[in-house]
């Protein structure tokens, strides 16, 4: 027996059972779900930091989208806000690294 105690993608239990194994799951409350998603985000970001690959980026994005919806926002609202901030403050495309700001006095 291997203990996981973590949030998994929706089809994982089915995949496990198709492999001839038994798994025990339960459905989280909304509060537990958000906490588990935030833990999952940390896990996925750490995996991305280690591997730096597109698959891990996709996992990070999937978790971020789930957090957005779990907190009562729509993905459209998230995209609108992202685009608004990009328009007003820019993106990160120019690779600008701010070293310091001197006081104008």
């Amino acid at each position: 027996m291997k203990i996981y105690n973590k949030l998994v993608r929706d089809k994982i239990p089915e995949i496990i059972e198709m492999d001839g194994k038994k798994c025990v799951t339960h459905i989280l409350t909304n509060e537990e779900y958000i906490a588990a998603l935030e833990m999952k985000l940390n896990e996925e970001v750490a995996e991305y930091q280690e591997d730096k690959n597109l698959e891990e980026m996709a996992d990070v994005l999937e978790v971020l989208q789930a957090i957005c919806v779990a907190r009562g926002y729509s993905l459209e609202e998230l995209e609108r806000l992202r685009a608004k901030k990009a328009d007003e403050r820019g993106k990160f495309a120019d690779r600008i690294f701010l070293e310091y700001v001197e006081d104008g006095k």
Side-chain angles (χ1 to χ4, degrees):
M1 173 171 48
K2 186 168 181 181
I3 309 247
Y4 287 92
N5 286 330
K6 68 178 188 175
L7 183 67
V8 295
R9 290 176 176 264
D10 299 341
K11 294 183 180 180
I12 295 300
E14 178 184 329
I15 292 168
I16 291 169
E17 290 178 2
M18 285 174 47
D19 197 32
K21 299 175 184 171
K22 180 181 186 289
C23 63
V24 175
T25 65
H26 71 275
I27 305 302
L28 300 173
T29 66
N30 288 339
E31 295 80 22
E32 291 170 329
Y33 179 52
I34 290 171
L37 279 169
E38 290 173 351
M39 288 174 47
K40 190 68 163 178
L41 179 59
N42 290 333
E43 174 189 326
E44 297 299 349
V45 167
E47 289 174 5
Y48 166 74
Q49 292 293 349
E50 183 175 320
D51 296 337
K52 307 273 195 269
N53 65 40
L54 191 59
E55 185 175 337
E56 297 303 340
M57 281 187 230
D59 289 343
V60 170
L61 184 57
E62 187 72 35
V63 175
L64 282 173
Q65 290 177 339
I67 290 170
C68 178
V69 172
R71 290 197 172 274
Y73 304 110
S74 72
L75 297 180
E76 292 77 18
E77 287 174 291
L78 177 62
E79 176 54 25
R80 269 195 307 275
L81 183 55
R82 186 212 58 77
K84 179 178 185 264
K85 289 185 81 169
D87 185 53
E88 291 174 356
R89 300 178 66 89
K91 298 182 179 184
F92 295 97
D94 292 340
R95 301 183 288 184
I96 298 168
F97 185 84
L98 181 63
E99 294 180 33
Y100 61 88
V101 174
E102 289 186 7
D103 215 0
K105 298 176 184 177

